[in-house]
């Protein structure tokens, strides 16, 4: 499967309506598979999870008032903050929040697979140590 096919072909079972969590996860996995090969060794072991919305504690910690305002979250220690003598840490985790992404999809009219890819890559950017400002600047330059 080529990188372009991974994003163009919808996962099995997707009929064009709002996908369930399993289909959503398949779309996220396809987006990961489409990343350039140079990034893949650095994201091995990163867990991708799908949740409906962020919980109240997460929203409060991020000072976000409404659960639909958070589409994704990176939890872990960025590569730029690691040392060779670190061990025993939990795996890094990227969570995609299905309902906020679906709402953005409906309101924005973008292809859902592209939106999932955008949110996923943004959160993976945090794994590499990029700030939100860095990622926005890179997006503006592209």
């Amino acid at each position: 499967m080529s990188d372009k096919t991974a994003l163009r072909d919808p996962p099995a079972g997707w009929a064009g309506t709002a996908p369930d969590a399993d289909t959503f996860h398949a779309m996220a996995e396809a987006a990961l598979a489409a990343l350039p090969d140079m990034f893949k060794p650095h994201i091995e072991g990163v867990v991708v999870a799908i949740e409906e919305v962020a919980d109240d504690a997460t929203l409060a910690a991020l000072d976000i008032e409404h659960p639909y305002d958070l589409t994704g979250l990176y939890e872990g220690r960025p590569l730029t903050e690691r040392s060779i003598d670190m061990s025993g840490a939990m795996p890094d985790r990227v969570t995609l929040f299905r309902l906020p992404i679906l709402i953005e999809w409906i309101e924005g009219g973008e292809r859902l697979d592209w939106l999932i890819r955008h949110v996923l890559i943004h959160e993976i950017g945090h794994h590499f140590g990029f700030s939100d400002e860095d990622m926005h600047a890179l997006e503006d330059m592209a």
Side-chain angles (χ1 to χ4, degrees), residues 74-92 127:
Y74 168 73
E75 298 171 284
R77 183 174 302 271
L79 296 176
T80 56
E81 296 178 12
R82 296 184 185 186
S83 69
I84 196 159
D85 54 322
M86 292 177 58
S87 66
M90 295 295 291
D92 290 352
H127 174 70

Side-chain angles (χ1 to χ4, degrees), residues 25 29 32 43-49 73 91-95 124:
H25 193 268
E29 290 295 325
L32 273 180
I43 60 172
E44 286 181 9
V46 174
V47 174
V48 176
L73 179 66
D92 290 352
R93 175 183 168 109
V94 169
T95 304
I124 292 287

Side-chain angles (χ1 to χ4, degrees), residues 54-137:
D55 61 33
D56 291 339
T58 299
L59 295 170
L62 296 171
D63 198 27
I64 295 174
E65 290 185 26
H66 197 282
Y68 292 170
D69 291 335
L70 184 62
T71 57
L73 179 66
Y74 168 73
E75 298 171 284
R77 183 174 302 271
L79 296 176
T80 56
E81 296 178 12
R82 296 184 185 186
S83 69
I84 196 159
D85 54 322
M86 292 177 58
S87 66
M90 295 295 291
D92 290 352
R93 175 183 168 109
V94 169
T95 304
L96 301 179
F97 299 107
R98 193 176 80 88
L99 291 179
I101 291 173
L102 290 174
I103 289 168
E104 189 171 325
W105 171 53
I106 291 165
E107 291 176 349
E110 254 186 280
R111 281 181 43 167
L112 182 57
D113 57 340
W114 292 351
L115 183 56
I116 290 171
R117 181 177 189 268
H118 170 78
V119 174
L120 182 69
I121 288 173
H122 181 91
E123 299 310 327
I124 292 287
H126 289 304
H127 174 70
F128 285 98
F130 300 150
S131 69
D132 283 335
E133 293 78 22
D134 293 337
M135 285 182 275
H136 290 299

Side-chain angles (χ1 to χ4, degrees), residues 30-44:
L32 273 180
L35 290 176
D37 289 340
M38 63 187 272
F39 292 108
K40 291 178 182 176
H42 305 290
I43 60 172
E44 286 181 9

Side-chain angles (χ1 to χ4, degrees), residues 1 3 5-15 19-35 48-51 96 98 112-114 116-117 120:
M1 176 184 304
D3 288 349
T5 302
L7 286 178
R8 187 177 60 241
D9 295 339
W14 188 48
D20 62 16
D22 290 338
T23 305
F24 208 87
H25 193 268
M27 295 173 88
E29 290 295 325
L32 273 180
L35 290 176
V48 176
I50 308 299
E51 294 183 11
L96 301 179
R98 193 176 80 88
L112 182 57
D113 57 340
W114 292 351
I116 290 171
R117 181 177 189 268
L120 182 69

